[in-house]
Amino acid sequence: MSDSRERLVVVGGDAAGMSAASQARRLKGPDELEIVAFERGHFTSYSACGIPYWVGGQVSERDELIARTPQEHRERAIDLRTRTEVVAIDPERRRVRSRVLDGPGRGTEEWTGYDKLVIATGARPVRPPLPGIDAPGVHGVQTLDDGQALLDTLEGTPGRRAVVVGGGYIGVEMAEAMINRGYEVTVVNRGKEPMSTLDPDMGRLVHDAMSWLGITMVNDTEVTEIRTGDDGQVRAVVTADGEYPADVVILGLGVRPETGLARAAGLPLGAYGGLLTDLGMRVRGHDDIWAGGDCVEVLDLVSGQERHVALGTHANKHGQIIGTNVGGGYATFPGVVGTAVSKVCDLEIARTGLREKDARAVGLRFVTATIESTSRAGYYPGAQLMTVKMLAEHRTGRLLGVQIVGRESAAKRVDIAAVALTAGMTVEQMTALDLGYAPPFSPVWDPVLVAARKAVRAVREAGW
Amino acid sequence: MSDSRERLVVVGGDAAGMSAASQARRLKGPDELEIVAFERGHFTSYSACGIPYWVGGQVSERDELIARTPQEHRERAIDLRTRTEVVAIDPERRRVRSRVLDGPGRGTEEWTGYDKLVIATGARPVRPPLPGIDAPGVHGVQTLDDGQALLDTLEGTPGRRAVVVGGGYIGVEMAEAMINRGYEVTVVNRGKEPMSTLDPDMGRLVHDAMSWLGITMVNDTEVTEIRTGDDGQVRAVVTADGEYPADVVILGLGVRPETGLARAAGLPLGAYGGLLTDLGMRVRGHDDIWAGGDCVEVLDLVSGQERHVALGTHANKHGQIIGTNVGGGYATFPGVVGTAVSKVCDLEIARTGLREKDARAVGLRFVTATIESTSRAGYYPGAQLMTVKMLAEHRTGRLLGVQIVGRESAAKRVDIAAVALTAGMTVEQMTALDLGYAPPFSPVWDPVLVAARKAVRAVREAGW
């Protein structure tokens, strides 16, 4: 290095990477710490979670999704290099190799040494090798560039039939987006019900609500081909059971950790292909490398095992923690309980903790309780039904998971369970929780408490 | 007693009393347990919390507020005697003396023996002995009968000026009710700001919002007289600072435990005049007497001291627990953390745990952090500002309390803090909470997490 300062290198300029860089910069000035960040795309620090709402028209400008631009990072003394891809990590010699993707220096490669390295390479969307998958009119929605490409297609295509492949979060959110744009929407889904992050009985409620919204739901089927016309444009999504005409196809098949570089560098990966870190988000066995965001696996505090959860809220936390540690402070990420919320039009969907199959997979015995209640006191105008399903451990009654499907104020009620899971509460302890009550906000027994009471009975009835 | 069955006597037929009776009946049939319940009013098991919404017109019928009528209780083999007041409790001889208030037997008194007694006498509204306080047109809103009397006045009075005395929950909810009825509303309040259950800095936000709604806010003043006209009807509310013309006056000055009978019987009362119970809601020192609802004091889990909290949600829990224990089961009420939510039009107000003055009063040293954030991702349509104030213990960083003022989805976010308080979490632990995130529901850092992060810094900066 050319000077006595430490150099921090960050690979990946979205939530985790740039949060880490920003927090490190807050703790150490440019005279102490040099920060170099590589980002292969055009943008930094944006909300990928907001793309469905930009496509759907609720968010009018792409730039609203950008929390901090490259220029803003540079003004904070971060040497940010956009359109520059890291192509190799060399932990032995503490350096990364980068390649310029655009501009005058295009194709230039060079090594940059580091004292400390942050890997925040994110996730890549699942894209099965189907015939036609790369045809014009077939779009992912992972990056802002993806979103812009989809919007360009929508503006240039007169047809109004959209097929969404995948019934998970991205799938249902994109279904809403296309409904909002006035499209006829079909969702083709491999699982028996949409939202496989819920148990099928709860997924069924989402299925019914989406059908009621006018979305054609095709479940339990595999896509075999994306059929194109003579012009090469997409025409239909073909499945084992039939063919669904499409003017545009949106892929929402989930994501996997983007850890090719880490794998090539010999860094430790878990069962889901994500980097494995310690509690300070340092890559296991590597004192000078940290990793966070969608490229890592995180400890599930309920199952005691690692899992992969791609969510901006975790990425931001990871970045904050990494930046604190890199900057000489102290912070840890204890793990997750698997909370996720979403919506399709006015239907709210939430989950936290383990589903039935998760609990079985890790050897837990459990009981379940499902109840229907209302968002407000039954007599208060606008009270809406919601269904709450609760899993509790056999004998101990420890809370294992909660799923909620309903309308207004249903989704965020899952936070009650997320905190209770973190605290290791039993469902009996939950029945005594002092939750906010007033007629406009809750029945006198909050729906979560009603579910906990039923779960207590289920634990008792299951015996010893 | 005339037969070998046990007899349970219940004094008070609203939430706590009738929940206890119903739960006891669920566990023990009429061949095992006789249940006699006395209620001095006309109604049973109703939502007093719903009265402001009935007066305001959102709830059209009184009967919607009644969860279970006297007849429904009688059909479940509960010998319910409405319009019959218990006038004495004799723990020595295990009996209560009752007086019939209405009907052919009016004035008749008799003793009824019990094996087990439940005291659920509720609370009485504060009603200072001011000149004019009993004039026509001055109304409390504690019971359904009160609500009906107020509605009768409103229908019979052409004037459209309402003065609400008291700026607490009832006061602000009644201010909303009268606004909804098209009245000019003045709130006269003793405290420096409305909502004295919040710290004054947060109460100020409520004050500003209420002023903005067109409500005339008169704070920091004492009512000295209710002035009446020659016809005896109310004309104005007189304070040290001025006089406020009124066609109707609504009293919302809070409530005190209704424990005259208990006091006369020598039962143990706490500093707030509420009955003191054990964890099973049994009156301390009395094996065969239970008490619950607005007439008891409850343990505050944060301060470690008893307090009085009159809320339907606690009354229902108490009733459930008492009924379970009386019926031969086992249940306990561990205590409260002081959660309360309310609203004035679209302004939501919430609190849990200790205010600054509560913490000082019990000898806790603390730091505070106040932040402003939004209900949804900033770019998502409809995102609304909310202010979150957090108190954390000096050095340990243990969460002590949270107050929230905002608009949609602000109030129920307090549940996150309520669970965290119950679990004894530190604000640092809270920063890692896995709360539901998606752009329509939350910024990437939930407002509660933003407050926790700032509180962590405040704890650190306060030093050792």
Side-chain angles (χ1 to χ4, degrees):
Chain A
M1 317 223 167
S2 56
D3 57 35
S4 64
R5 298 182 299 171
E6 273 201 318
R7 184 186 290 152
L8 167 64
V9 167
V10 176
V11 184
D14 201 0
M18 296 319 291
S19 289
S22 300
Q23 173 68 359
R25 177 53 79 227
R26 248 173 245 126
L27 299 178
K28 285 196 171 167
D31 51 325
E32 277 189 286
L33 182 71
E34 183 188 359
I35 305 180
V36 182
F38 296 98
E39 165 56 42
R40 67 181 174 192
H42 296 89
F43 306 103
T44 53
S45 305
Y46 61 88
S47 172
C49 333
I51 293 174
Y53 308 103
W54 172 36
V55 173
Q58 290 108 311
V59 177
S60 52
E61 295 291 330
R62 181 194 66 202
D63 288 358
E64 294 180 52
L65 300 183
I66 299 176
R68 199 169 277 173
T69 63
Q71 188 52 35
E72 287 169 318
H73 284 299
R74 289 181 190 122
E75 283 162 9
R76 297 167 63 93
I78 294 169
D79 177 3
L80 174 66
R81 307 181 190 172
T82 49
R83 294 301 286 152
T84 305
E85 183 170 21
V86 169
V87 294
I89 296 171
D90 178 359
E92 196 72 33
R93 301 180 64 180
R94 293 187 175 193
R95 57 183 192 168
V96 303
R97 187 163 182 83
S98 61
R99 179 191 298 144
V100 177
L101 300 177
D102 271 352
R106 185 174 170 181
T108 311
E109 295 201 2
E110 64 172 348
W111 288 101
T112 304
Y114 63 78
D115 297 293
K116 290 172 175 168
L117 177 68
V118 174
I119 302 176
T121 44
R124 64 188 145 71
V126 171
R127 209 175 163 90
L130 296 172
I133 190 106
D134 294 319
V138 181
H139 291 273
V141 283
Q142 172 77 357
T143 64
L144 289 186
D145 289 322
D146 292 343
Q148 189 61 62
L150 171 57
L151 283 167
D152 292 344
T153 290
L154 297 181
E155 278 173 27
T157 310
R160 282 287 175 275
R161 292 166 305 180
V163 176
V164 177
V165 181
Y169 288 104
I170 301 293
V172 303
E173 288 168 4
M174 288 310 301
E176 171 182 326
M178 300 311 289
I179 286 279
N180 285 345
R181 293 186 70 97
Y183 279 65
E184 281 176 43
V185 179
T186 301
V187 174
V188 178
N189 179 41
R190 184 156 59 176
K192 285 221 186 318
E193 300 293 351
M195 295 307 294
S196 64
T197 50
L198 305 179
D199 285 324
D201 52 343
M202 296 297 282
R204 179 77 213 179
L205 302 178
V206 178
H207 178 158
D208 292 344
M210 291 177 75
S211 298
W212 191 87
L213 287 165
I215 297 166
T216 302
M217 299 298 296
V218 183
N219 290 298
D220 205 10
T221 193
E222 292 276 354
V223 174
T224 54
E225 184 189 344
I226 311 286
R227 180 161 300 164
T228 52
D230 295 341
D231 56 357
Q233 286 285 333
V234 65
R235 285 286 184 280
V237 170
V238 185
T239 73
D241 306 322
E243 188 171 320
Y244 302 92
D247 302 302
V248 60
V249 173
I250 298 164
L251 302 176
L253 291 164
V255 297
R256 299 284 178 269
E258 180 73 280
T259 47
L261 285 178
R263 184 184 300 275
L267 300 180
L269 303 182
Y272 301 94
L275 277 154
L276 296 176
T277 74
D278 67 13
L279 290 169
M281 301 307 299
R282 202 159 52 171
V283 173
R284 290 186 197 172
H286 292 263
D287 281 354
D288 45 12
I289 308 180
W290 285 258
D294 293 358
C295 69
V296 303
E297 294 186 11
V298 287
L299 178 63
D300 182 314
L301 296 167
V302 189
S303 72
Q305 300 189 0
E306 277 80 20
R307 53 183 290 187
H308 181 238
V309 184
L311 259 181
T313 186
H314 299 324
N316 274 279
K317 287 192 184 103
H318 294 168
Q320 183 74 20
I321 287 158
I322 292 170
T324 299
N325 290 328
V326 164
Y330 172 72
T332 61
F333 185 77
V336 303
V337 294
T339 312
V341 296
S342 189
K343 75 180 194 71
V344 202
C345 300
D346 68 341
L347 186 80
E348 300 188 5
I349 307 161
R351 53 146 289 151
T352 190
L354 307 182
R355 296 164 297 182
E356 293 196 24
K357 74 175 185 183
D358 302 320
R360 273 186 214 105
V362 295
L364 287 165
R365 272 177 67 188
F366 59 89
V367 297
T368 71
T370 302
I371 63 94
E372 205 171 63
S373 182
T374 53
S375 57
R376 313 175 181 193
Y379 56 78
Y380 194 90
Q384 300 270 5
L385 285 178
M386 73 178 75
T387 305
V388 181
K389 177 174 181 173
M390 192 171 279
L391 274 70
E393 190 180 19
H394 182 63
R395 273 181 38 199
T396 70
R398 181 168 62 106
L399 178 69
L400 295 179
V402 166
Q403 297 161 42
I404 308 179
V405 175
R407 287 181 166 77
E408 54 129 38
S409 85
K412 280 292 268 181
R413 270 188 163 84
V414 84
D415 286 347
I416 298 163
V419 185
L421 279 171
T422 305
M425 284 187 182
T426 66
V427 288
E428 181 138 15
Q429 286 175 311
M430 290 181 74
T431 61
L433 285 173
D434 185 2
L435 304 180
Y437 162 65
F441 299 110
S442 172
V444 72
W445 292 93
D446 190 278
V448 173
L449 299 184
V450 178
R453 288 172 63 186
K454 188 166 181 186
V456 168
R457 291 196 295 275
V459 170
R460 193 178 59 229
E461 281 158 17
W464 189 250
Chain B
M1 313 212 174
S2 56
D3 56 36
S4 64
R5 298 182 298 169
E6 274 201 317
R7 183 187 292 153
L8 167 65
V9 167
V10 176
V11 184
D14 200 0
M18 296 319 291
S19 289
S22 300
Q23 174 67 359
R25 175 55 77 227
R26 248 174 243 124
L27 299 178
K28 286 197 172 165
D31 52 325
E32 278 188 287
L33 182 71
E34 182 187 359
I35 304 179
V36 181
F38 296 98
E39 164 57 42
R40 66 181 175 192
H42 296 90
F43 306 104
T44 53
S45 305
Y46 61 87
S47 173
C49 334
I51 293 173
Y53 309 103
W54 171 37
V55 173
Q58 291 108 311
V59 177
S60 53
E61 294 291 331
R62 181 193 66 203
D63 288 358
E64 294 179 51
L65 300 183
I66 298 175
R68 199 168 278 171
T69 63
Q71 188 51 35
E72 286 168 319
H73 284 298
R74 289 181 189 122
E75 282 162 10
R76 297 167 62 92
I78 294 169
D79 177 3
L80 174 66
R81 307 183 191 172
T82 48
R83 294 301 285 150
T84 304
E85 183 169 20
V86 170
V87 294
I89 296 170
D90 178 0
E92 197 71 35
R93 300 179 65 179
R94 296 189 174 191
R95 57 183 191 166
V96 301
R97 187 163 181 85
S98 61
R99 179 191 300 143
V100 177
L101 300 177
D102 271 351
R106 184 175 171 183
T108 310
E109 296 199 5
E110 64 172 347
W111 287 103
T112 305
Y114 64 77
D115 297 292
K116 291 172 175 168
L117 176 69
V118 173
I119 302 175
T121 43
R124 64 189 145 72
V126 172
R127 208 176 165 91
L130 297 172
I133 191 103
D134 294 319
V138 180
H139 291 273
V141 283
Q142 172 78 358
T143 64
L144 289 186
D145 289 321
D146 291 342
Q148 189 61 61
L150 171 57
L151 283 167
D152 292 344
T153 289
L154 298 179
E155 278 173 28
T157 311
R160 282 288 174 274
R161 293 166 305 181
V163 175
V164 177
V165 180
Y169 288 103
I170 300 294
V172 304
E173 288 168 4
M174 287 310 301
E176 170 182 327
M178 299 311 290
I179 286 279
N180 285 345
R181 293 187 71 97
Y183 278 66
E184 281 177 43
V185 179
T186 300
V187 174
V188 178
N189 178 40
R190 184 157 58 176
K192 285 219 186 320
E193 302 292 351
M195 295 307 293
S196 64
T197 52
L198 306 180
D199 284 325
D201 53 343
M202 297 296 283
R204 179 76 211 179
L205 303 177
V206 178
H207 178 158
D208 293 344
M210 291 177 75
S211 296
W212 191 88
L213 287 165
I215 298 166
T216 302
M217 299 297 295
V218 182
N219 290 298
D220 203 12
T221 194
E222 293 275 355
V223 173
T224 54
E225 184 188 345
I226 311 287
R227 180 162 301 165
T228 52
D230 294 340
D231 56 357
Q233 286 285 332
V234 65
R235 285 285 184 283
V237 171
V238 184
T239 74
D241 306 321
E243 187 170 322
Y244 302 92
D247 303 302
V248 61
V249 173
I250 297 164
L251 302 176
L253 292 165
V255 298
R256 299 285 177 272
E258 179 74 278
T259 47
L261 285 179
R263 185 184 299 274
L267 301 180
L269 303 182
Y272 302 94
L275 277 154
L276 296 176
T277 74
D278 66 15
L279 291 169
M281 302 306 299
R282 202 160 50 173
V283 173
R284 292 187 197 170
H286 292 264
D287 282 355
D288 44 13
I289 308 180
W290 285 257
D294 293 358
C295 69
V296 303
E297 294 185 13
V298 289
L299 178 63
D300 182 313
L301 296 168
V302 188
S303 73
Q305 300 189 0
E306 277 81 19
R307 54 184 289 190
H308 181 239
V309 184
L311 259 181
T313 186
H314 298 322
N316 274 279
K317 287 190 182 105
H318 295 168
Q320 183 74 20
I321 286 159
I322 293 169
T324 299
N325 290 327
V326 165
Y330 172 72
T332 62
F333 185 77
V336 304
V337 293
T339 311
V341 296
S342 188
K343 76 181 193 70
V344 202
C345 301
D346 67 342
L347 186 80
E348 300 188 6
I349 307 161
R351 54 146 290 152
T352 190
L354 306 183
R355 295 164 299 180
E356 294 196 24
K357 73 174 186 183
D358 302 321
R360 274 187 213 104
V362 296
L364 287 165
R365 272 178 66 188
F366 58 89
V367 298
T368 70
T370 302
I371 62 96
E372 206 171 63
S373 181
T374 53
S375 57
R376 312 176 180 194
Y379 56 78
Y380 194 91
Q384 301 270 5
L385 286 178
M386 73 178 77
T387 304
V388 181
K389 177 174 181 173
M390 192 172 279
L391 274 70
E393 190 181 18
H394 182 63
R395 275 180 37 199
T396 71
R398 182 169 62 106
L399 178 70
L400 295 180
V402 166
Q403 297 161 43
I404 308 179
V405 175
R407 286 181 166 76
E408 54 130 37
S409 84
K412 279 294 266 181
R413 270 186 163 86
V414 84
D415 287 347
I416 298 163
V419 186
L421 279 172
T422 306
M425 285 187 182
T426 66
V427 288
E428 181 138 15
Q429 287 175 310
M430 289 182 74
T431 62
L433 285 173
D434 186 1
L435 304 180
Y437 162 63
F441 299 110
S442 174
V444 71
W445 292 93
D446 190 278
V448 174
L449 299 184
V450 178
R453 287 173 63 186
K454 187 165 181 186
V456 168
R457 291 196 295 275
V459 170
R460 194 178 56 230
E461 282 158 17
W464 189 249

